[in-house]
Amino acid sequence: MMKLTILGCYAATPRTLSNPTSQLLEIKNHTFLIDCAEGTQVQLRKQKIKFTKINHVFISHLHGDHFYGLIGLISTFMLFNRVNDLHVYGPKGIKEIILLQLRASGSFTGYSLCFHELETTQSQIIFEDEHVEVHTIPLKHRVYTNGFLFVEKNNERRLNLDAIQNHNIDKVYYNKIKYGGTITLDNGTVIPNRELTFDPPKGLRYAYCSDTMYEESIIPLIQEVDCLYHESTFLESEAHLLERTMHATAKQAATIASKAQVKQLVLGHYSTRYPSIELFKQEAQTVFEEVILADDGKIIEIN
Amino acid sequence: MMKLTILGCYAATPRTLSNPTSQLLEIKNHTFLIDCAEGTQVQLRKQKIKFTKINHVFISHLHGDHFYGLIGLISTFMLFNRVNDLHVYGPKGIKEIILLQLRASGSFTGYSLCFHELETTQSQIIFEDEHVEVHTIPLKHRVYTNGFLFVEKNNERRLNLDAIQNHNIDKVYYNKIKYGGTITLDNGTVIPNRELTFDPPKGLRYAYCSDTMYEESIIPLIQEVDCLYHESTFLESEAHLLERTMHATAKQAATIASKAQVKQLVLGHYSTRYPSIELFKQEAQTVFEEVILADDGKIIEIN
């Protein structure tokens, strides 16, 4: 299971009752922060999330409603005498912005602050360990923007118990087999792993796509993901704003979800011009059924 | 009367229920913003203050808890299609920090954004018009820091009604006399203004001093001001932290207030380590009686 906490999901500017974009994704042994608008550290406090669990921050693009809270979070980590490395993934330029402000305040971080600046427009793997992979999803917006695909790795192959019992293999070898090992029987016969196992179940995948206009080139990258967050700044009634702003409508988000055959679609990055976010769900469901509305503080479990 | 709205007055980092430093000063025909920590724009909304009234922002120093909210405010002004010039007064370096972030987002402000960068350690007048003057108050902190002295100009001289009636001067001339005009009587005699008026009452003065260590050199600049805001990060029990942090205690703030014979002292910039801010008032009042505790959302009238 992954746990997605929406810290903020409204467009443009922080307001009294709504926050611009930030999300927290708990995946395997990691707590990833995705975007970090002004006020994110207060939203983390409101959700009672231990700041120090966050070691990786992914910034989609350098519009203020997605990253103006990062410098404050980094400064707060300094005050808290953080020790662990902090990794920041974001567009080229983010390092200079952060370091310029730290220098101006005569500060330095006691912890290592590692920037991973992005500039390619091809999807690439930007984080990988034993349990998790993170890929970029190149998006189309007014400035250089990436979405992110978070993938749980599933390294454990499933045991083919019939085959294993046919060969009278003892239980002590099961773990070896799960992780791809071959078995040598007492008579010297070598049994290759593929005869004893099935492929592992596919790991869960979460795709974060914001901000972006309607862009079909992302479909192969997010094909059949378990959960897709796709921005829906507008409704179709504001379609005339799309070309200039390079945002998407709820219907367009649903069309992407449908074409990519994702399991569920989460909508967000709402313009605050509408009287109710239910309108986004209604519009999206004319195209795709499994729609969840993001809202500040909402927790979404991805199974 | 001046009206001071405390938007935030706690040290270090934004929390769920307390905000770092920002104040709004309404003085004559101006609405001045003093410091602008992360979350200031939300605090302005909570106080139902019309953003567009703010044309001047004064930043004391480049620590995050005094200016990380400025870039967000400037961006929100762009979204609101602001037209009026915005003047920013602050330490050298502030312009580069703001412009770097605007460039990274591919943004430009439709309004004029005028930076007035400060670098002298002598007090100077940085704003002046018919009604108001603003002076810097050089402070001692870990980075280059200025407090600000806000002065109402009083241009209207008080009428000496006895003298005016002795000369049988008609009421239609009263305004001319108030603004320093001389009067020529029907018989040709010229009456100089000083015979018809008294000096105007002194204009109100508000001094903002944060962040700073105890520094007696500021006393002549703030002598007898109507209201002094002086930081009190600590109580005397934490005096051992003063040298390293270059902050002041409540007792030190009160000592400055007493020596400068100010009318009232407002305390703020509290460390959140203490169970109650009442402790700051108690400590300060051992030295100086007229103490007000700043608190987020509090409005202080200066008469």
Side-chain angles (χ1 to χ4, degrees):
Chain A
M1 191 198 66
M2 296 184 202
K3 185 176 162 194
L4 180 68
T5 303
I6 308 295
L7 300 168
C9 65
Y10 289 81
T13 145
R15 289 164 194 268
T16 313
L17 298 173
S18 67
N19 295 276
T21 304
S22 185
Q23 304 186 349
L24 196 86
L25 182 70
E26 293 171 73
I27 171 173
K28 297 275 187 173
N29 51 335
H30 293 291
T31 301
F32 290 152
L33 189 67
I34 309 169
D35 281 339
C36 186
E38 183 175 353
T40 293
Q41 54 177 317
V42 171
Q43 285 297 95
L44 286 169
R45 283 179 191 272
K46 282 188 184 160
Q47 299 303 320
K48 303 199 190 312
I49 289 157
K50 264 196 93 169
F51 284 34
T52 44
K53 281 167 50 180
I54 299 168
N55 294 327
H56 301 86
V57 183
F58 298 87
I59 301 292
S60 61
H61 66 300
L62 297 183
H63 280 160
D65 59 335
H66 293 255
F67 91 103
Y68 282 169
L70 180 60
I71 180 67
L73 187 67
I74 286 170
S75 299
T76 296
F77 280 144
M78 294 189 312
L79 289 170
F80 288 2
N81 295 318
R82 180 191 175 96
V83 176
N84 290 348
D85 296 354
L86 183 70
H87 294 268
V88 176
Y89 304 79
K92 191 167 170 57
I94 195 167
K95 180 176 177 178
E96 189 186 353
I97 289 172
I98 298 298
L99 294 189
L100 180 65
Q101 293 181 83
L102 292 178
R103 276 198 302 272
S105 67
S107 306
F108 58 93
T109 58
Y111 57 94
S112 289
L113 186 54
C114 313
F115 290 93
H116 306 265
E117 293 198 315
L118 310 175
E119 42 188 334
T120 173
T121 52
Q122 302 299 311
S123 176
Q124 57 176 336
I125 294 182
I126 54 175
F127 174 84
E128 182 170 17
D129 72 1
E130 205 183 337
H131 304 292
V132 173
E133 269 177 20
V134 184
H135 304 239
T136 57
I137 304 170
L139 299 175
K140 288 258 167 65
H141 192 44
R142 302 195 304 277
V143 293
Y144 174 72
T145 305
N146 288 296
F148 302 103
L149 176 68
F150 300 89
V151 180
E152 281 187 4
K153 282 189 191 176
N154 229 334
N155 302 313
E156 270 186 50
R157 300 183 63 78
R158 282 175 300 158
L159 298 178
N160 179 342
L161 287 174
D162 287 344
I164 287 168
Q165 279 155 15
N166 283 345
H167 290 295
N168 275 320
I169 296 168
D170 194 276
K171 276 191 179 169
V172 295
Y173 296 106
Y174 282 12
N175 253 342
K176 183 179 179 190
I177 298 170
K178 277 183 189 169
Y179 287 98
T182 55
I183 296 295
T184 306
L185 302 181
D186 293 346
N187 66 11
T189 313
V190 174
I191 315 289
N193 185 274
R194 68 175 180 278
E195 288 186 18
L196 302 173
T197 61
F198 305 112
D199 284 343
K202 229 173 169 180
L204 290 170
R205 291 182 303 150
Y206 169 58
Y208 170 85
C209 296
S210 187
D211 294 353
T212 187
M213 60 191 298
Y214 178 80
E215 178 53 41
E216 294 196 351
S217 67
I218 68 174
I219 292 173
L221 298 170
I222 61 173
Q223 196 69 41
E224 294 178 28
V225 294
D226 300 279
C227 183
L228 165 66
Y229 177 92
H230 193 292
E231 76 128 285
S232 57
T233 306
F234 298 118
L235 299 175
E236 286 290 316
S237 49
E238 274 60 50
H240 57 285
L241 298 177
L242 297 176
E243 192 181 326
R244 181 170 62 79
T245 63
M246 298 182 80
H247 283 299
T249 66
K251 189 174 176 187
Q252 290 179 326
T255 304
I256 294 288
S258 170
K259 292 195 175 189
Q261 297 174 284
V262 308
K263 298 231 177 61
Q264 59 183 4
L265 168 65
V266 179
L267 295 177
H269 203 266
Y270 316 112
S271 162
T272 52
R273 77 189 60 207
Y274 302 105
S276 162
I277 59 173
E278 284 297 326
L279 299 169
F280 291 88
K281 188 170 182 176
Q282 286 164 22
E283 182 175 295
Q285 284 187 326
T286 61
V287 175
F288 183 82
E289 185 56 35
E290 294 300 324
V291 175
I292 295 175
L293 290 173
D295 209 354
D296 298 3
K298 194 170 198 167
I299 292 172
I300 297 168
E301 294 189 351
I302 304 171
N303 295 303
Chain B
M1 189 198 69
M2 295 185 205
K3 184 177 164 193
L4 180 68
T5 304
I6 308 293
L7 300 169
C9 65
Y10 289 80
T13 144
R15 289 165 195 266
T16 312
L17 299 173
S18 67
N19 296 276
T21 302
S22 185
Q23 303 186 350
L24 196 86
L25 182 70
E26 293 171 74
I27 172 173
K28 297 275 187 175
N29 50 336
H30 293 290
T31 301
F32 290 152
L33 189 67
I34 310 169
D35 281 340
C36 186
E38 183 176 353
T40 292
Q41 54 177 318
V42 171
Q43 286 296 97
L44 287 168
R45 284 178 190 271
K46 282 188 184 161
Q47 301 301 321
K48 302 198 192 312
I49 290 155
K50 263 194 93 171
F51 283 35
T52 44
K53 284 166 50 181
I54 300 169
N55 295 326
H56 301 86
V57 183
F58 299 87
I59 300 292
S60 62
H61 65 302
L62 297 183
H63 280 160
D65 59 334
H66 293 255
F67 92 103
Y68 281 169
L70 180 59
I71 180 67
L73 187 65
I74 286 170
S75 299
T76 296
F77 281 144
M78 293 189 311
L79 289 171
F80 289 2
N81 295 317
R82 180 190 175 97
V83 176
N84 289 347
D85 296 355
L86 183 71
H87 294 269
V88 176
Y89 304 79
K92 191 167 170 54
I94 195 167
K95 180 177 178 178
E96 189 186 353
I97 290 171
I98 298 298
L99 294 190
L100 181 63
Q101 291 180 84
L102 292 179
R103 274 199 303 274
S105 67
S107 306
F108 59 94
T109 59
Y111 57 95
S112 289
L113 185 55
C114 312
F115 289 93
H116 306 266
E117 293 198 315
L118 309 174
E119 44 187 332
T120 172
T121 52
Q122 303 298 311
S123 177
Q124 58 177 335
I125 294 182
I126 53 174
F127 174 84
E128 181 169 19
D129 72 1
E130 205 183 338
H131 304 291
V132 172
E133 269 177 19
V134 184
H135 304 240
T136 57
I137 305 171
L139 300 175
K140 288 257 168 65
H141 191 44
R142 302 195 304 277
V143 293
Y144 174 73
T145 306
N146 287 295
F148 302 103
L149 177 67
F150 300 89
V151 180
E152 279 187 4
K153 283 187 188 177
N154 228 334
N155 301 314
E156 270 186 50
R157 299 184 62 79
R158 281 173 302 157
L159 297 177
N160 179 342
L161 287 174
D162 286 345
I164 286 168
Q165 279 155 14
N166 283 347
H167 290 294
N168 275 322
I169 296 169
D170 194 275
K171 276 192 179 171
V172 296
Y173 296 105
Y174 282 13
N175 254 342
K176 183 179 180 188
I177 298 170
K178 277 184 188 170
Y179 288 97
T182 57
I183 296 295
T184 307
L185 301 181
D186 293 345
N187 64 11
T189 314
V190 174
I191 315 288
N193 184 276
R194 65 172 183 280
E195 288 186 17
L196 302 173
T197 60
F198 305 112
D199 284 344
K202 225 174 171 179
L204 290 170
R205 291 183 303 151
Y206 169 58
Y208 170 85
C209 297
S210 188
D211 295 352
T212 186
M213 61 190 298
Y214 179 81
E215 177 55 40
E216 294 196 351
S217 67
I218 69 174
I219 292 172
L221 298 170
I222 61 172
Q223 197 70 40
E224 293 177 28
V225 294
D226 300 278
C227 183
L228 167 65
Y229 178 92
H230 193 291
E231 75 129 285
S232 57
T233 306
F234 299 117
L235 299 176
E236 286 290 316
S237 48
E238 275 60 50
H240 58 284
L241 298 177
L242 297 175
E243 193 181 322
R244 181 170 62 79
T245 63
M246 299 182 78
H247 284 299
T249 66
K251 189 175 177 186
Q252 289 179 327
T255 304
I256 293 289
S258 171
K259 293 195 176 188
Q261 298 173 285
V262 307
K263 297 229 176 64
Q264 60 182 4
L265 169 65
V266 179
L267 296 177
H269 203 265
Y270 317 112
S271 162
T272 51
R273 76 188 61 207
Y274 302 105
S276 162
I277 60 173
E278 284 297 327
L279 299 168
F280 291 88
K281 187 170 183 176
Q282 287 166 20
E283 183 175 293
Q285 284 187 325
T286 63
V287 175
F288 184 82
E289 186 56 34
E290 294 300 323
V291 176
I292 295 175
L293 291 173
D295 209 352
D296 298 1
K298 195 171 198 167
I299 292 171
I300 297 168
E301 294 188 350
I302 303 170
N303 296 304

